[in-house]
Amino acid sequence: MAAEREIPVILKLYDLMLWTLNHTARFPRHHRYSLGLKIEATLFDLLEILIEARYVREKAALLDRANIVLERLRFQMRLAKDVAVLPVKSYAFQAEKVEEIGRMIGGWKNAYS
């Protein structure tokens, strides 16, 4: 019932977070405690920004910030692929989801501009 009232981009991000947490947990130790934790922190930052944007009147600045954080995530995940802790197939799946979230954030911003 609560999920029906959520903003779709937040639900998409939540699903991506679940997927990503399952993958970063399997990173080798030396990458888990550096890159893995950075990726997780970036996802949590993005979730916090989107939740805040849901409740404030002036959304544009927060949605711009969300796009910056999403770009950080793109590079972190690309790095995970390049150091071979994230399989290429998983990276492709993740990149598609991040792209979709980016489009949704852009649409949300345009709706309030």
Side-chain angles (χ1 to χ4, degrees), residues 18-32:
L18 288 174
W19 180 90
T20 303
L21 291 171
N22 285 325
H23 281 72
T24 56
R26 291 186 239 135
F27 283 10
R29 182 174 296 193
H30 60 283
H31 288 299
R32 167 78 183 116

Side-chain angles (χ1 to χ4, degrees), residues 56-104:
V56 299
R57 190 172 294 251
E58 297 298 321
K59 299 176 185 325
L62 283 170
L63 295 175
D64 284 340
R65 178 80 184 128
N67 276 325
I68 292 167
V69 174
L70 194 63
E71 189 67 13
R72 268 188 9 223
L73 179 64
R74 283 184 179 106
F75 276 91
Q76 291 166 347
M77 296 300 280
R78 186 169 125 195
L79 182 60
K81 174 194 62 92
D82 290 344
V83 298
V85 295
L86 186 66
V88 173
K89 195 175 207 180
S90 295
Y91 171 74
F93 173 83
Q94 176 276 337
E96 178 183 315
K97 297 302 176 191
V98 167
E99 194 64 32
E100 181 180 6
I101 289 168
R103 284 192 306 271
M104 293 173 88

Side-chain angles (χ1 to χ4, degrees), residues 13-14 17-18 21 36-51 69 72-73:
L13 176 60
Y14 184 85
M17 290 177 77
L18 288 174
L21 291 171
L37 291 179
K38 277 288 204 192
I39 290 169
E40 292 171 8
T42 300
L43 285 164
F44 282 102
D45 289 348
L46 184 57
L47 180 63
E48 290 171 5
I49 291 166
L50 293 180
I51 289 171
V69 174
R72 268 188 9 223
L73 179 64

